[in-house]
Amino acid sequence: MQPFKLIRPQSLHELLTLLAEEEDLLLWGGGTSSTILMKQNLLLPTTVAALKGVRELYGLERLPDGTVRIGAMTTLRELEHAAWLADLVPSVGATATLVGNVRVRNVATLGGHLVHADPAQDLPPLLLVLGAQVRLRSLRGERVLDLDEFFVDLMETAIQPDEVLVDVTLPAAASELRARYVKFRPQSQEDYGVVGVAASVAWEADGRTARTVKLAVGGAGPTARRFREAEERLQGREWTPALLAEVAEWVRSQVEPWDDARGSASYKREMAAVWARRVLASLQQQAETTRKETPA
Amino acid sequence: MAERIELTVNGQRVSETVETHELLLDFLRRHLGLTGTKEACSIGVCGLCTVWMDGRTVSACLLPAVFADGAEIYTVEGLAARQNQASAAATAPDPRLWEIVQESFVECEGLQCGICTPGQVMSALSLLSENPQPTEAEIRHHMAGNLCRCTGYQSIVRAVQRAAERWRAEHATV
């Protein structure tokens, strides 16, 4: 690592001013990704701004309109431990607990997790299927982007050099979805997944027909992304094994993985299909169980 | 670039000048001579550098020491100091629980070569501080971030279970 100048802004305005003036400013949340990228000389910041004192970046709350607001500095462990969030949108904590290890989750922030834009990270596919948005601020103003628009390419996001990610929001409707993220991890708990697949569904009153569906895959291309054509095939229909197989085949044909230490491209393509089918089947199974428990 | 930092390490106030890119791990080992905290993977995966910071565990290899300014840190060397500490922050580890954890690792032979043990102890301490009655699955999930190439983990899981049993037994009789 190389030495850097450390600045400790104490308000969002002070931070935005720094972002507008300083070139090559690295924002420091938990630092778990930044330290590794700096050790690898992939990040060589001359100046680092510690975000710890910027209170506008904190907070994990349900707003009066039902929106869930997650401040960028919220740690993954806080997402795991928030009991009210577990009641409202249980898939968030259940997915957060799959990231890295306890020490990482104790300090790693959701904002850092997203701006890193490593395609194999766990929360992006889930947040995509929950309809999450990110709020970006700069001295020029504010932009709210769907997470779909935020991820641009490998480790590249739509965030501009003078902007900071302030918070992530989940729409009130997210609490009405059944959502799940699954991660295929052939080795130890520590590994990034080979692929990770998330799906969400809102069932019709019959509990069998899918009203809305979202499906997203991570680790099988330059960004985590949704597969809208697959979603359309699942919407308004009862899911048969043949339909799930057809959707899985579509995912296999559309993902763009590459060979690396986590597997060959063809293996990842295969696993994306297998796990897409499994996550959908598990949501269907869950709906079936609910139907049996609460007969009409 | 140098920065002055002030923090508490094993109950002692420490005030030192560090380079901004100096890791907490190196600060503990080189400035303070606390070599119980080990380094192996350097990317936060193996758990050898696990230390207690403000009530939670962190990887000292992933944290430049400047970001520990103002923090309260305990390393594996800190048990005796913690036992003799007149007062400590609410986020400090319980000295009796810590003692039980260390004894349980010995009793259950939760180690062989010992290099991962400081990190295992600090992780077990943090688990039982948060959750005094973990299931085996919860133990395995929490301790998964501490790698061990010797034991096959069974004896480590037993050591944590044993510590939880002893801690519970002591509290049941109070």
Side-chain angles (χ1 to χ4, degrees):
Chain A
M1 278 170 74
Q2 68 174 26
F4 51 84
K5 184 174 140 206
L6 179 63
I7 306 178
R8 295 179 167 90
Q10 296 301 310
S11 70
L12 184 59
H13 186 263
E14 197 182 330
L15 172 65
L16 296 182
T17 308
L18 277 170
L19 279 165
E21 288 169 357
E22 291 268 344
E23 278 181 35
D24 202 18
L25 183 71
L26 175 70
L27 304 191
W28 195 274
T32 47
S33 293
S34 296
T35 304
I36 293 173
L37 294 171
M38 284 163 72
K39 285 183 178 188
Q40 294 168 335
N41 287 338
L42 291 172
L43 278 178
L44 296 163
T46 52
T47 310
V48 171
L51 299 181
K52 197 177 172 186
V54 183
R55 63 178 167 74
E56 292 92 335
L57 304 179
Y58 288 83
L60 174 56
E61 59 195 328
R62 191 176 190 197
L63 303 178
D65 67 355
T67 303
V68 174
R69 178 189 167 270
I70 309 169
M73 284 292 278
T74 304
T75 65
L76 303 184
R77 207 83 203 293
E78 288 174 88
L79 293 178
E80 258 179 282
H81 284 181
W84 66 268
L85 185 61
D87 288 339
L88 197 66
V89 196
S91 54
V92 175
T95 301
T97 197
L98 300 176
V99 177
N101 56 53
V102 171
R103 299 179 305 281
V104 167
R105 300 194 296 275
N106 276 339
V107 291
T109 63
L110 182 62
H113 193 72
L114 296 183
V115 299
H116 186 184
D118 182 315
Q121 272 164 333
D122 297 306
L123 281 154
L126 180 78
L127 295 176
L128 283 168
V129 303
L130 291 176
Q133 293 186 316
V134 291
R135 195 157 62 99
L136 310 176
R137 283 287 302 274
S138 70
L139 284 184
R140 294 177 291 123
E142 178 175 304
R143 292 197 293 156
V144 176
L145 299 183
D146 288 342
L147 202 53
D148 305 70
E149 308 166 272
F150 182 70
F151 295 121
V152 172
D153 205 339
L154 182 70
M155 292 198 184
E156 193 182 326
T157 69
I159 201 162
Q160 295 303 304
D162 63 341
E163 286 178 316
V164 60
L165 193 163
V166 176
D167 53 34
V168 178
T169 52
L170 304 178
S175 65
E176 286 150 34
L177 302 173
R178 297 290 179 170
R180 185 168 288 176
Y181 169 78
V182 292
K183 171 181 189 174
F184 173 55
R185 188 172 41 188
Q187 295 172 34
S188 77
Q189 288 255 12
E190 290 312 319
D191 298 317
Y192 275 99
V194 172
V195 295
V197 186
S200 69
V201 56
W203 300 104
E204 296 288 2
D206 66 1
R208 294 168 197 275
T209 315
R211 187 167 68 238
T212 63
V213 182
K214 292 193 179 79
L215 179 72
V217 181
T223 70
R225 55 163 283 215
R226 278 171 62 190
F227 287 83
R228 289 170 198 273
E229 186 151 335
E231 295 170 356
E232 282 161 21
R233 290 179 193 207
L234 292 160
Q235 262 151 209
R237 299 173 68 176
E238 277 195 38
W239 296 358
T240 61
L243 177 61
L244 298 193
E246 178 195 319
V247 166
E249 192 51 47
W250 172 258
V251 168
R252 183 209 309 269
S253 71
Q254 293 300 305
V255 291
E256 302 170 287
W258 51 82
D259 299 337
D260 64 18
R262 293 177 200 142
S264 66
S266 65
Y267 181 62
K268 291 180 190 176
R269 209 171 280 124
E270 182 71 25
M271 289 303 105
V274 166
W275 288 89
R277 181 170 51 74
R278 286 186 185 171
V279 73
L280 293 166
S282 78
L283 286 169
Q284 187 182 24
Q285 180 66 43
Q286 183 192 42
E288 204 167 292
T289 309
T290 311
R291 265 202 329 272
K292 281 179 187 154
E293 283 169 359
T294 53
Chain B
M1 257 157 267
E3 284 258 336
R4 191 90 185 151
I5 58 168
E6 288 189 19
L7 63 166
T8 308
V9 180
N10 296 335
Q12 298 278 327
R13 294 289 300 166
V14 176
S15 178
E16 294 258 358
T17 301
V18 296
E19 290 293 320
T20 49
H21 62 299
E22 182 170 3
L23 298 168
L24 177 63
L25 175 68
D26 297 318
F27 175 74
L28 293 170
R29 291 178 58 87
R30 294 181 192 158
H31 281 244
L32 305 184
L34 295 171
T35 53
T37 305
K38 311 295 185 196
E39 177 168 26
C41 76
S42 309
I43 55 169
V45 166
C46 75
L48 261 63
C49 68
T50 306
V51 298
W52 181 286
M53 178 168 144
D54 297 331
R56 57 192 188 176
T57 50
V58 299
S59 292
C61 77
L62 288 188
L63 190 73
V66 283
F67 295 108
D69 184 33
E72 186 201 36
I73 288 171
Y74 290 91
T75 68
V76 74
E77 292 95 338
L79 173 56
R82 180 72 192 91
Q83 285 171 326
N84 296 323
Q85 217 172 342
S87 67
T91 52
D94 185 284
R96 179 61 186 148
L97 175 59
W98 193 344
E99 185 175 31
I100 289 172
V101 167
Q102 293 196 178
E103 286 174 359
S104 298
F105 269 80
V106 175
E107 285 166 20
C108 297
E109 297 181 21
L111 64 151
Q112 286 180 32
C113 86
I115 196 169
C116 73
T117 312
Q120 302 281 3
V121 166
M122 299 315 282
S123 286
L125 179 60
S126 79
L127 168 62
L128 297 175
S129 300
E130 287 174 14
N131 177 4
Q133 296 191 37
T135 63
E136 181 177 342
E138 286 169 339
I139 293 172
R140 288 183 181 276
H141 184 62
H142 188 100
M143 301 295 290
N146 289 81
L147 306 187
C148 172
R149 297 184 65 177
C150 304
T151 61
Y153 301 103
Q154 304 295 345
S155 60
I156 291 174
V157 172
R158 276 201 302 276
V160 180
Q161 287 172 324
R162 171 97 181 110
E165 283 159 19
R166 284 186 57 189
W167 182 240
R168 197 157 60 234
E170 285 192 10
H171 284 258
T173 56
V174 170

